[in-house]
Amino acid sequence: MGRTNRKRRSTLANRAIAASAALALGGGGLLAANIYASAGEENSQQNAQTTAGQTATIQCPDVGNQLKDVPDGARAGVAEELANLNKQVSEAYTRLASTRQAQAGDSSYVDNAILGPLKAKRTATIDRIGINIRRAGGEAPNLDQLAQCQGMQVEQPNAGEGQDQNNDGQDQGDGQDQGGEGQDQGGEGQDQGGQEQVGDNGNGANGPVADDFVDITQVQPNTPPPNGNGLKANGDSGSTGTFTTECGTNANNLFNTDNLIVAPGVDNGAEHTHDYVGNQGNDAFASDEDLDNADTTCQNQGDKSTYYWPVLRLQDGNDEFDANEQGGGAQGNVGTILEAQQAEIKFVGNKQSDVVAMPKFLRIITGDAKALSNGDANANASLSCTGFEDRQLTDKYPICPEGSQVVRTANFQSCWDGQNIDSANHRDHVDFVQADGSCENGFQAIPQLQIRLVYDAPAPVIENGQIQNPIAVDGFQSELHKAITDHNDFINVMDENLMNQVVDCINTGQECQ
């Protein structure tokens, strides 16, 4: 069975030390102070940050996104092979990060020693995906062209350089308008040199880096302000009610590195650690029946839905329970896991119409854990600070002023095809509404899930072009812990009576819980 119950988080006592060394000044300036060095600094210096022109990470086409019609009988085998593709990229990235000296002396090293062997492995795995589909009576698409990966240069600033922190984010409004003009989320780069450095914060130069952060006070408002509890309904027309479910903040420490939606039956299928609230039976091997019979942390026991997201860590050099495990420190996810102070889960309506009930066991993923490699087509990250939630960041982490907390907001797809609880690429069966609230392609409006997570995290400090004690969402190694890779997952396991109550509350304009 997959791992569900994990040991307690390591102590957060050192957060007080970090907080005292990272005081934010009014107007967004930062007071930098010396901070203890990362526990992993000595070893990780061997994997120094890339210099200009070097390959920073590996970009591979996402095979899973191209799978549109996988027969039920092939899905388990295909999921296992997709997980193998992820594992191969992770192993190649590890080799990339550990051979910087060889790369510096041989311009063809990455192509010959890393990307060439990776292509051969991916070709064989993609062939097995096709075999699985054909054996189950399906028609396998031509995926051969997806085997080739390429080296990707990502800005990894050297010590001493000031940081240009302009951010061309997107106005995501209430999580439904995915287009719109880019927003200038900039602010002057901050060169706060002259202070002691902490190396790579124990992350083996796996990120994030200083350029991944922006002072939230320097960001221009780009989103309608939230209501009193930080989450928004969809206006004053259509279905205007709300339903809030209280499911806790994962105080019981339910963690695993599985992903039941993307990689059912695959141990460590996510390659990063998730927080879970709601359903307590969620691991890679859980059936729908298992979920239906599991316990729940939700106050309303009719809600056995599973709500899960990658943990947020403070890269403080401290070892967590998973410091040496796959999906944790062994795959670049390091530092103290932060428990959310608040986890607000709300369902809201549609701007134009009533909503219909979600089918039981409907699966929705919002955001893209591989958005650095895949591009932002499926990205849906939204980060901010309390008191500044009219300023949402899509590809930067916020530096919050003193007294303000970090906020992660997930606004899910709220149009459903009316038939399927999942799809081969886990996206085609649901969609975002258009700006006017309408659903395209005959899809039906369902309650929109909104999740807002609030964290009490010390503000990171930029010194001499390097970030000290950054926050980072867990993710695949090759994605370098970029903020744009933040994502969130949901499986509906509400009983029929409760789901009908949710729909009735929303369609009649009530505020229920």
Side-chain angles (χ1 to χ4, degrees):
M1 291 290 290
R3 302 159 314 287
T4 53
N5 291 302
R6 295 294 209 168
K7 293 181 286 185
R8 295 291 300 177
R9 295 177 175 84
S10 60
T11 177
L12 300 186
N14 283 326
R15 286 175 52 192
I17 300 173
S20 67
L23 299 178
L25 300 176
L30 293 173
L31 173 62
N34 292 340
I35 304 178
Y36 56 87
S38 161
E41 181 176 357
E42 181 177 351
N43 292 333
S44 59
Q45 288 300 321
Q46 299 173 8
N47 296 337
Q49 290 181 344
T50 58
T51 57
Q54 267 195 314
T55 298
T57 189
I58 295 170
Q59 182 180 43
C60 299
D62 193 325
V63 175
N65 277 343
Q66 304 304 313
L67 298 176
K68 304 294 185 181
D69 186 15
V70 177
D72 290 344
R75 291 199 173 183
V78 169
E80 183 175 358
E81 298 302 345
L82 291 174
N84 284 335
L85 291 175
N86 289 335
K87 181 179 178 181
Q88 291 159 9
V89 175
S90 179
E91 291 170 344
Y93 174 82
T94 299
R95 181 163 176 75
L96 177 73
S98 64
T99 57
R100 295 300 181 194
Q101 186 173 354
Q103 296 167 42
D106 182 358
S107 60
S108 62
Y109 184 90
V110 173
D111 286 336
N112 294 335
I114 298 176
L115 297 182
L118 177 59
K119 180 181 180 181
K121 292 179 181 179
R122 284 174 60 85
T123 297
T125 304
I126 289 170
D127 285 346
R128 292 195 296 271
I129 289 175
I131 291 170
N132 271 280
I133 293 174
R134 287 189 290 272
R135 281 178 175 171
E139 183 174 346
N142 182 8
L143 303 174
D144 293 345
Q145 73 278 11
L146 303 182
Q148 180 67 58
C149 302
Q150 33 185 323
M152 185 179 181
Q153 293 182 20
V154 179
E155 188 173 0
Q156 298 274 58
N158 296 318
E161 294 181 357
Q163 303 304 317
D164 176 8
Q165 295 180 330
N166 287 332
N167 175 37
D168 296 325
Q170 295 177 349
D171 179 2
Q172 292 187 329
D174 59 7
Q176 299 177 350
D177 182 2
Q178 299 299 301
E181 297 179 0
Q183 301 295 329
D184 179 9
Q185 297 176 336
E188 296 180 0
Q190 301 181 28
D191 183 358
Q192 297 175 335
Q195 302 294 333
E196 181 179 343
Q197 299 172 11
V198 294
D200 54 23
N201 302 294
N203 63 30
N206 188 230
V209 296
D211 195 52
D212 293 320
F213 291 79
V214 65
D215 180 347
I216 196 69
T217 68
Q218 301 301 307
V219 176
Q220 295 300 310
N222 58 17
T223 303
N227 62 17
N229 66 358
L231 298 177
K232 309 176 284 296
N234 290 325
D236 55 4
S237 60
S239 43
T240 60
T242 64
F243 182 91
T244 299
T245 183
E246 299 285 348
C247 300
T249 59
N250 197 24
N252 59 344
N253 300 304
L254 179 62
F255 303 114
N256 65 46
T257 62
D258 303 337
N259 192 325
L260 177 59
I261 297 177
V262 175
V266 179
D267 193 49
N268 190 37
E271 297 189 12
H272 54 266
T273 298
H274 289 123
D275 267 317
Y276 290 88
V277 302
N279 198 288
Q280 299 294 282
N282 191 329
D283 64 21
F285 305 92
S287 65
D288 287 350
E289 183 179 3
D290 292 332
L291 296 177
D292 208 18
N293 291 327
D295 293 331
T296 180
T297 63
C298 299
Q299 291 182 9
N300 190 322
Q301 292 294 294
D303 187 5
K304 294 187 178 182
S305 301
T306 175
Y307 308 91
Y308 64 105
W309 49 81
V311 298
L312 185 71
R313 297 186 193 245
L314 178 65
Q315 290 187 350
D316 52 6
N318 290 329
D319 284 346
E320 262 291 0
F321 67 88
D322 59 354
N324 299 310
E325 297 183 22
Q326 291 298 301
Q331 290 184 288
N333 294 303
V334 297
T336 299
I337 293 175
L338 301 177
E339 181 183 337
Q341 301 299 297
Q342 302 174 50
E344 301 171 22
I345 302 173
K346 177 180 284 190
F347 294 86
V348 304
N350 182 272
K351 290 180 180 179
Q352 281 199 1
S353 68
D354 285 351
V355 297
V356 301
M358 292 179 176
K360 197 168 187 177
F361 306 119
L362 176 70
R363 287 143 163 83
I364 309 180
I365 300 171
T366 195
D368 186 356
K370 299 179 183 177
L372 176 64
S373 298
N374 290 343
D376 63 3
N378 292 313
N380 193 27
S382 195
L383 296 109
S384 189
C385 303
T386 56
F388 298 88
E389 290 178 71
D390 59 348
R391 312 171 192 197
Q392 294 292 326
L393 303 171
T394 61
D395 61 356
K396 302 286 184 185
Y397 292 103
I399 298 176
C400 302
E402 185 175 10
S404 178
Q405 297 175 301
V406 174
V407 182
R408 297 164 68 187
T409 304
N411 296 290
F412 282 68
Q413 298 91 314
S414 56
C415 294
W416 169 54
D417 69 5
Q419 296 181 341
N420 299 294
I421 61 170
D422 199 2
S423 49
N425 61 8
H426 313 294
R427 297 190 184 275
D428 288 348
H429 63 300
V430 288
D431 199 1
F432 288 98
V433 296
Q434 301 303 294
D436 64 359
S438 62
C439 292
E440 292 189 314
N441 302 317
F443 281 33
Q444 300 174 334
I446 55 175
Q448 185 194 35
L449 172 59
Q450 300 178 347
I451 297 179
R452 178 176 177 266
L453 307 172
V454 181
Y455 297 85
D456 185 15
V461 175
I462 297 175
E463 290 187 355
N464 198 27
Q466 290 190 329
I467 191 77
Q468 298 189 0
N469 286 343
I471 56 172
V473 293
D474 263 25
F476 294 100
Q477 277 187 289
S478 58
E479 300 301 301
L480 304 180
H481 293 115
K482 298 297 184 183
I484 199 171
T485 64
D486 199 10
H487 56 283
N488 212 300
D489 301 77
F490 165 67
I491 303 175
N492 171 42
V493 197
M494 290 188 185
D495 65 37
E496 183 178 357
N497 288 337
L498 180 58
M499 176 53 66
N500 288 338
Q501 181 185 346
V502 171
V503 169
D504 183 64
C505 285
I506 290 173
N507 287 341
T508 58
Q510 301 178 63
E511 295 184 2
C512 304
Q513 59 182 14

